[in-house]
Amino acid sequence: EVQLVESGGGLIQPGGSLRLSCAASGFTVSSNYMSWVRQAPGKGLEWVSVIYSGGATDYADSVKGRFIVSRDNSKNTLYLHMNSLRVEDTALYYCAGGGDYGYWGQGTLVTVSS
Amino acid sequence: EIVLTQSPDFQSVTPKEKVTITCRASQSIGRNLHWYQQKPDQSPKLLINYASQSFSGVPSRFSGSGSGTDFTLTINGLEAEDAATYYCHQSSSLPRTFGQGTKLEIK
């Protein structure tokens, strides 16, 4: 059974940094297209970033230059390093696996507020 | 950026009814269109990938069709448990984008 478990969310002040983790089981992070998708409270889904199996990465314009996606193959874990956080980054952050996002975690909530 | 526009935004339906949700892309995306169901306080779940392929374990009452710019999600014989918000999503090009969602309420 595939499981993706996110962690690392919390309350952070504007300008702060946070690192989210997504631990996978039954699914190999390094062999798959892995993404972060976020959902602001009461809103729809927004793609944030991707890391391809080959290691290349891509980002939404709204987070480019502030967020970095990475993975640790030995831990089968995906990360999202978030810097210079803004109030508008407040959202539930999901990791999603596979090219068609067939697998999702339960999400971790990031609240950016002073 | 490819914009996906779903219709309707909201629909109130009775059990056993047939429901159709449409998703229109601002440019051709081939068959790179996926459908998700999200129930309150739950993660999205993949229903249909690549326009018409049912994902593993998805009930047969869910089906998808379309290609290019126009796509449809159909629920044949709606059940009470289908109350949710449904999103379409394109994987044709970056940035990947989602439709705004269609909320289904069961009467």
Side-chain angles (χ1 to χ4, degrees):
Chain A
E1 181 194 3
V2 174
Q3 273 201 314
L4 301 176
V5 179
E6 300 95 335
S7 60
L11 175 63
I12 187 80
Q13 291 189 339
S17 298
L18 214 52
R19 187 187 78 166
L20 307 183
S21 301
C22 170
S25 58
F27 190 84
T28 304
V29 167
S30 61
S31 302
N32 283 279
Y33 184 107
M34 298 295 299
S35 290
W36 288 96
V37 176
R38 67 186 181 184
Q39 187 168 34
K43 302 295 184 183
L45 300 167
E46 179 189 15
W47 175 77
V48 173
S49 69
V50 60
I51 184 166
Y52 300 92
S53 56
T57 58
D58 249 307
Y59 301 91
D61 285 347
S62 58
V63 307
K64 199 171 290 184
R66 301 188 297 123
F67 290 12
I68 297 173
V69 59
S70 66
R71 67 190 183 206
D72 184 330
N73 296 344
S74 67
K75 295 182 178 179
N76 204 26
T77 298
L78 177 74
Y79 300 102
L80 185 66
H81 307 260
M82 304 187 296
N83 303 307
S84 303
L85 281 161
R86 304 168 180 168
V87 170
E88 55 265 33
D89 294 319
T90 294
L92 188 59
Y93 284 73
Y94 296 103
C95 63
D100 55 6
Y101 297 165
Y103 304 101
W104 296 70
Q106 84 290 350
T108 186
L109 182 63
V110 173
T111 303
V112 185
S113 174
S114 54
Chain B
E1 172 175 321
I2 296 174
V3 177
L4 299 178
T5 303
Q6 291 181 229
S7 61
D9 291 331
F10 175 85
Q11 192 169 4
S12 184
V13 292
T14 55
K16 299 185 182 179
E17 204 174 319
K18 176 181 176 179
V19 173
T20 298
I21 299 170
T22 65
C23 178
R24 175 162 288 177
S26 59
Q27 62 190 78
S28 179
I29 57 173
R31 297 179 63 81
N32 297 301
L33 190 284
H34 319 292
W35 290 97
Y36 304 86
Q37 176 193 66
Q38 186 178 34
K39 296 181 179 180
D41 299 319
Q42 292 187 19
S43 308
K45 293 181 180 175
L46 177 64
L47 297 174
I48 304 290
N49 57 15
Y50 300 103
S52 62
Q53 299 177 33
S54 293
F55 191 60
S56 175
V58 173
S60 59
R61 63 182 180 274
F62 293 94
S63 63
S65 64
S67 66
T69 60
D70 294 300
F71 301 87
T72 300
L73 173 70
T74 301
I75 311 174
N76 272 302
L78 190 77
E79 297 191 5
E81 66 184 31
D82 299 333
T85 300
Y86 293 82
Y87 294 94
C88 60
H89 168 64
Q90 65 83 19
S91 60
S92 177
S93 66
L94 292 180
R96 292 179 65 153
T97 48
F98 293 85
Q100 80 277 16
T102 295
K103 186 173 183 177
L104 279 188
E105 173 191 87
I106 310 300
K107 291 178 184 174

